[in-house]
């Protein structure tokens, strides 16, 4: 099964030895996105609301680079440094999905890269 790298300058560039996404067969596996502004590479200013909105914008850009949208996301994992922020993150995240949201896990972690408060990774089904 051939694999294909997914990359876009509309989402933050990888900050380590990984790809933004990898298409493998009928699935695309996306690396975690943190709330970096793709133009500056810096963490967006503000709190968890602004950070979550940026992560979702980054997700959208990465999905579009693979020719996909939120409707094709089948699994995601949300990493939060404070589960006390879950309700707000959940509300923002939920706006992007229709009647069949993806399977999901949400976990609290002690820290995320660049001091981010939220990171999301996901898998999409392309049926290619």
């Amino acid at each position: 099964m051939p694999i294909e790298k997914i990359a876009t300058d509309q989402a933050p560039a990888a900050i380590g030895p990984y790809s933004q996404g990898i298409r493998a067969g009928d699935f695309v596996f996306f690396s975690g996105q943190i709330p970096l502004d793709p133009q500056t590479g810096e963490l967006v200013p503000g709190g968890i609301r602004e950070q979550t909105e940026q992560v979702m914008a980054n997700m959208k850009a990465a999905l579009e680079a693979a020719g996909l949208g939120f409707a094709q996301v089948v699994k995601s994992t949300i990493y939060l440094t404070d589960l006390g922020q879950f309700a707000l993150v959940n509300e923002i995240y939920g706006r992007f999905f229709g009647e069949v949201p993806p399977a999901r896990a949400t976990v609290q972690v002690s820290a995320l890269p660049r001091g981010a408060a939220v990171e999301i990774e996901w898998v999409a089904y392309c049926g290619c």
Side-chain angles (χ1 to χ4, degrees), residues 30 32-33 49 56-57 61 74 77 79 81 84 96-97 102 104 107 127:
F30 291 92
Q33 284 289 323
R49 176 178 301 278
M56 298 307 292
V74 295
T77 304
Y79 302 94
T81 58
F96 291 83
F97 296 98
R104 183 183 79 190
V107 295

Side-chain angles (χ1 to χ4, degrees), residues 7 22 40 53 55-58 64 78 87 93 102 107 111-112 116-117 124 126:
I22 293 289
T40 67
E53 294 280 1
V55 168
M56 298 307 292
N58 293 345
E64 288 175 350
I78 300 174
Y93 173 93
V107 295
L112 289 168
C126 62

